[in-house]
Amino acid sequence: MMNIMHPSLRRLDLNLLPVFDAIYRHRSVRLAADELAMSTSALSHALSRLRITLNDPLFYREGHRMCPSVYATQLAPSVASVLNRLEQELTPQPEFEAASSTEHLQIAITDFTAFCIFPALMHKLQYEAPGLRFELRYLPHNPALTELLAGEVDLALGFSTPDDIRHPELEEIGWFEDEYVVISNTDRTQLTLKDYLAARHLVVTPWNEKQGVLDIQLEQMGYTRQIAIKTPSMLSAPFIVAESDLLMAIPRFAAEKLIPATKIKIFALPFAIPAFEVKIYSHKRSGKRGATRWLKAKLQTLATECSSGR
């Protein structure tokens, strides 16, 4: 025999529950009808249907008051609780208002994304969204798929690679594109491919990856380079380069921002490689859709400004 779910609810018109709750609170058909914007005759008809469905008189008229039955008195707290809970849960989400929002957003980042965009972002947000709060978390892997799907982070700013796997639950948009350059100490005067291959290198590996995109490209060309240091931190790397003979490949935007802070020179990368690209990843069913949508638009605007200002 088929198991019918919620047989009692299937017999009851749930629109009658607010009628019951209003009469119980006001002890008056007229006042309940006013609260529910119904006529007294329509409310009386609804009460009659409820009495039939529940097989109980529910309310007795004593003078001008509607007094609850024993069953109605027992039922009233549960009905009020259920209606309050549904009202809270079913209230439409308010539109995101940046100026007044106090949302707390968790964003997976790397050194590069934090260093290159968050100073400019926070400069703007102190005026446009002063209450918006962030928790920056290091991107554990690219593109933080597990964390986004689990709702542990709201956005991830990650590198695009040829091996990217697109997940149907994730949205991804191109955010920032740049060319690779090479930085060295200030003693170097030129950088040919021969010079590049003869030098020792520092390589940033945010996820302790075995091989970076430059090494894959060099391998396809039949070359290898001598890697002296691998480090997960991009921010310490330029200072190491400035005090050594090491070379480091880095996006141009980051290299140019680092020049005032350390003694380095910038050279063109002496072989062709696809552009460095960062994407913004988010979950399609994020619980903070308004905030993440607004922030993604703001990030894209900043990326455009950064590119055009160079």
Side-chain angles (χ1 to χ4, degrees):
M1 184 175 180
M2 183 168 57
N3 182 26
I4 300 176
M5 296 291 290
H6 310 302
S8 296
L9 291 179
R10 288 166 65 89
R11 290 187 297 105
L12 176 66
D13 180 352
L14 296 182
N15 289 314
L16 298 177
L17 293 182
V19 170
F20 171 86
D21 178 66
I23 296 174
Y24 183 84
R25 285 185 289 103
H26 291 293
R27 302 294 201 269
S28 165
V29 169
R30 181 181 62 80
L31 292 178
D34 288 345
E35 179 182 288
L36 299 174
M38 299 171 64
S39 67
T40 53
S41 60
L43 189 132
S44 296
H45 177 67
L47 177 58
S48 297
R49 291 174 56 203
L50 195 56
R51 284 167 167 162
I52 294 169
T53 302
L54 298 179
N55 193 29
D56 188 90
L58 299 177
F59 298 96
Y60 299 91
R61 185 175 293 281
E62 292 185 1
H64 296 295
R65 287 175 58 80
M66 299 292 287
C67 296
S69 68
V70 172
Y71 177 56
T73 301
Q74 294 171 342
L75 190 61
S78 296
V79 171
S81 176
V82 167
L83 290 176
N84 286 334
R85 180 68 181 273
L86 286 173
E87 179 66 24
Q88 292 173 5
E89 297 295 333
L90 298 178
T91 299
Q93 292 292 310
E95 289 293 323
F96 176 76
E97 293 289 343
S100 58
S101 175
T102 57
E103 283 278 14
H104 175 232
L105 295 175
Q106 298 192 79
I107 304 179
I109 52 92
T110 63
D111 278 346
F112 174 81
T113 50
F115 173 66
C116 290
I117 206 68
F118 267 87
L121 176 65
M122 297 312 294
H123 175 73
K124 283 187 175 292
L125 296 196
Q126 66 184 330
Y127 306 107
E128 298 178 24
L132 203 60
R133 295 169 296 142
F134 299 98
E135 182 178 339
L136 303 185
R137 298 173 54 180
Y138 275 111
L139 195 66
H141 43 78
N142 196 44
L145 176 64
T146 304
E147 291 74 16
L148 283 163
L149 294 176
E152 295 174 7
V153 295
D154 302 300
L155 290 179
L157 307 179
F159 304 120
S160 173
T161 70
D163 299 326
D164 279 356
I165 298 174
R166 303 192 70 163
H167 193 283
E169 290 295 314
L170 292 188
E171 288 181 345
E172 62 177 67
I173 57 174
W175 172 45
F176 189 84
E177 192 171 290
D178 201 0
E179 64 174 344
Y180 281 101
V181 295
V182 180
I183 60 173
S184 77
N185 63 35
T186 54
D187 294 334
R188 184 174 290 277
T189 58
Q190 65 173 19
L191 186 66
T192 64
L193 178 58
K194 183 178 178 180
D195 297 329
Y196 185 87
L197 296 174
R200 300 187 309 147
H201 296 266
L202 182 152
V203 178
V204 176
T205 54
W207 310 288
N208 298 314
E209 54 268 36
K210 298 295 184 185
Q211 199 175 33
V213 291
L214 272 73
D215 294 293
I216 293 172
Q217 181 65 30
L218 285 170
E219 189 176 86
Q220 292 173 355
M221 296 166 60
Y223 301 122
T224 59
R225 60 177 176 168
Q226 181 185 351
I227 297 174
I229 299 180
K230 284 187 176 182
T231 174
S233 171
M234 187 200 77
L235 294 187
S236 64
F239 297 94
I240 297 172
V241 169
E243 300 296 329
S244 68
D245 64 350
L246 299 178
L247 299 181
M248 175 187 173
I250 187 173
R252 179 178 289 279
F253 183 78
E256 291 175 349
K257 286 183 74 71
L258 286 164
I259 283 180
T262 187
K263 296 177 181 179
I264 56 173
K265 261 188 179 180
I266 299 176
F267 294 91
L269 188 69
F271 57 94
I273 191 166
F276 172 89
E277 184 182 13
V278 178
K279 288 186 176 181
I280 304 175
Y281 299 88
S282 59
H283 196 306
K284 289 181 179 178
R285 293 181 286 128
S286 166
K288 302 173 184 175
R289 290 289 293 167
T292 55
R293 189 182 301 115
W294 182 86
L295 184 58
K296 284 194 288 186
K298 186 60 59 180
L299 286 168
Q300 286 184 294
T301 300
L302 278 174
T304 301
E305 291 175 359
C306 289
S307 296
S308 62
R310 283 165 48 186

